[in-house]
Amino acid sequence: MRRIVHADAGIRGQEDGEDGHVADKDKSLLADANATTAAAAAPPPVYTKRLRWWAVVLINIVFILGGQSVATLLGRIYYDQGGGSLWMATVVQSCGAPLAVPLLLYLRRPKSSTVARPPLLKISAIYAGLGILLAGDNLMYSYALLYLPLSTYSLICATQLIFNAVFSFFLNKEKFTALIFNSVVLLTFSAALVGVSKRSGETHSSVPEGKFAVGFVLTLAASAVFALILSLTQLTFDKVIKSSTLRAVLEMQFWSNTAAACVSVAGLFISGEWSTLTPEMDGYKKGKVAYAMTLAWTAISWQLTTMGMMGLVATVSSLFTNVISTVAMPLCPVIAVIFLGDRMDGVMILAMLIGIWGFLSYIYQHYLDDAKAKKIAETDDDEQTPKPSLSAA
């Protein structure tokens, strides 16, 4: 009997063991199925990363388009309503740097970072050098905006793209395709077409007589310096800072603009224009409050523009940033026609259409590059993802 009992117990234990083994198999298969379903439902990492990247790019584009259009319009209004201090117009383009301080205090530097901070002396020299270039560039833009109607000024500024293309090729190793070359040529031709045909008398804005040629040359020079600043900024992000975080962008914006503001304020006092600010405010056509508000909103608009530009340089490239900045220029002549009474003749319309064509040419090239990168990323993911295998039970 004991043998029979032991035999029965052994048979039952073996059956229980087999049942448990089957149950474990079922649980394992169910877990694998659930994991596969969850993985299929979750968005791929590449898609999520690209979505975030495009969101950041879109926000920076909005900052550039909105800020540059408003700031340029307010700068023209400042002159038309009785403002005449070129150094004050230069100061407001960089004196809004303290607006970045709250964000810098909020975004504290992480204690553990894989990227080493550049030497203090080196990065300080870079910020100071960029600030000096920025102050000189702002001063040239101030003169140019005084000597040209807003519509002409905005379209001549499109030449900054060809300068940026040259600097990007030598400093940032930018690759050129037929579409990018076509874009640069078209945008440059658009600006040149306006420059050789427009006259300062063809506007209702208070533009000094006989200063069109000077304004045209200053705008070209300012565009070249602006393109150089963007390329040097990208070089700094790539080779020195080696980071494209929001804090790195804000630090670049704050310190370079602070240096530019110091140089501009020094120029304001050295030139003696500071003594004319009170009479200028008293004689402003719209009143003292409008004078202060015009300068304040100009400063805010330029800081938003600068933040967008620094963000795009760090995230994409200096050339792409300049393309977006050029896109804002066709918006300015339309605003000038609506609010300032500038005349939009056939040549201006043709130049604007050519400029838009050149911009779309570059955007299409960027679309092709983006699609190619996406295809390569998806191929790499497929190769790294283990294929499911069926094994015999």
Side-chain angles (χ1 to χ4, degrees):
M1 286 295 294
R2 287 182 181 177
R3 292 179 180 175
I4 296 175
V5 171
H6 290 320
D8 292 342
I11 293 172
R12 284 194 299 268
Q14 184 178 1
E15 291 175 351
D16 292 341
E18 291 177 354
D19 292 341
H21 182 64
V22 172
D24 291 341
K25 267 190 175 181
D26 292 341
K27 290 180 180 179
S28 178
L29 291 174
L30 182 61
D32 291 342
N34 291 335
T36 303
T37 304
V46 175
Y47 176 79
T48 303
K49 185 177 180 180
R50 293 182 62 79
L51 189 61
R52 292 175 181 174
W53 183 86
W54 274 110
V56 172
V57 170
L58 181 60
I59 292 173
N60 288 322
I61 289 175
V62 171
F63 282 167
I64 294 177
L65 295 180
Q68 183 173 318
S69 300
V70 173
T72 306
L73 175 64
L74 290 175
R76 183 68 257 174
I77 290 175
Y78 167 75
Y79 288 130
D80 288 347
Q81 296 299 318
S85 175
L86 294 171
W87 278 107
M88 176 53 70
T90 304
V91 168
V92 296
Q93 295 183 53
S94 55
C95 70
L99 294 174
V101 172
L103 285 174
L104 284 172
L105 294 176
Y106 177 75
L107 298 170
R108 296 181 180 180
R109 185 182 298 275
K111 296 181 180 180
S112 58
S113 177
T114 57
V115 180
R117 297 188 62 181
L120 181 60
L121 183 61
K122 182 178 182 179
I123 195 64
S124 298
I126 291 174
Y127 287 149
L130 289 175
I132 293 173
L133 284 177
L134 187 60
D137 190 52
N138 291 341
L139 181 63
M140 286 190 289
Y141 273 129
S142 299
Y143 272 100
L145 193 58
L146 174 64
Y147 293 159
L148 294 176
L150 180 58
S151 53
T152 307
Y153 163 85
S154 301
L155 290 174
I156 295 176
C157 283
T159 55
Q160 68 193 27
L161 190 57
I162 190 171
F163 292 115
N164 205 166
V166 175
F167 291 132
S168 296
F169 179 78
F170 288 104
L171 297 178
N172 309 125
K173 309 302 180 183
E174 184 79 23
K175 295 181 179 180
F176 283 92
T177 64
L179 287 173
I180 292 180
F181 181 76
N182 178 65
S183 173
V184 171
V185 171
L186 288 175
L187 287 168
T188 305
F189 179 73
S190 170
L193 183 62
V194 177
V196 299
S197 62
K198 192 71 177 175
R199 293 293 180 268
S200 61
E202 299 176 0
T203 179
H204 298 292
S205 302
S206 55
V207 177
E209 293 291 338
K211 296 292 185 179
F212 180 83
V214 177
F216 181 74
V217 172
L218 285 175
T219 307
L220 286 177
S223 299
V225 175
F226 175 74
L228 177 61
I229 291 173
L230 288 182
S231 293
L232 291 176
T233 301
Q234 181 181 346
L235 192 65
T236 302
F237 276 120
D238 293 341
K239 302 298 183 180
V240 181
I241 300 177
K242 298 179 181 179
S243 175
S244 59
T245 62
L246 178 57
R247 181 175 179 84
V249 171
L250 290 173
E251 286 180 348
M252 172 68 77
Q253 174 191 355
F254 175 75
W255 290 114
S256 60
N257 275 265
T258 298
C262 292
V263 174
S264 302
V265 171
L268 178 66
F269 281 93
I270 293 174
S271 65
E273 284 192 6
W274 64 273
S275 60
T276 65
L277 296 182
T278 301
E280 180 178 286
M281 181 184 297
D282 294 335
Y284 201 69
K285 297 178 183 179
K286 296 293 184 179
K288 296 181 180 180
V289 176
Y291 179 83
M293 293 299 293
T294 300
L295 295 180
W297 282 108
T298 303
I300 294 173
S301 300
W302 277 123
Q303 286 308 301
L304 288 177
T305 305
T306 305
M307 181 184 296
M309 288 182 176
M310 296 296 180
L312 275 189
V313 169
T315 307
V316 190
S317 68
S318 62
L319 188 58
F320 182 80
T321 304
N322 217 330
V323 167
I324 299 302
S325 178
T326 306
V327 175
M329 294 172 189
L331 300 179
C332 294
V334 177
I335 295 176
V337 170
I338 297 174
F339 294 100
L340 302 181
D342 281 6
R343 296 170 59 182
M344 181 69 76
D345 56 14
V347 175
M348 295 286 288
I349 294 175
L350 178 61
M352 187 168 61
L353 292 176
I354 293 175
I356 294 175
W357 181 11
F359 162 71
L360 292 178
S361 177
Y362 185 91
I363 290 297
Y364 183 65
Q365 177 62 57
H366 188 74
Y367 167 77
L368 294 178
D369 294 340
D370 187 66
K372 182 178 179 181
K374 182 178 180 181
K375 185 176 181 180
I376 294 175
E378 290 176 349
T379 303
D380 292 341
D381 286 345
D382 292 339
E383 292 177 353
Q384 294 175 2
T385 303
K387 299 296 186 293
S389 60
L390 297 176
S391 60

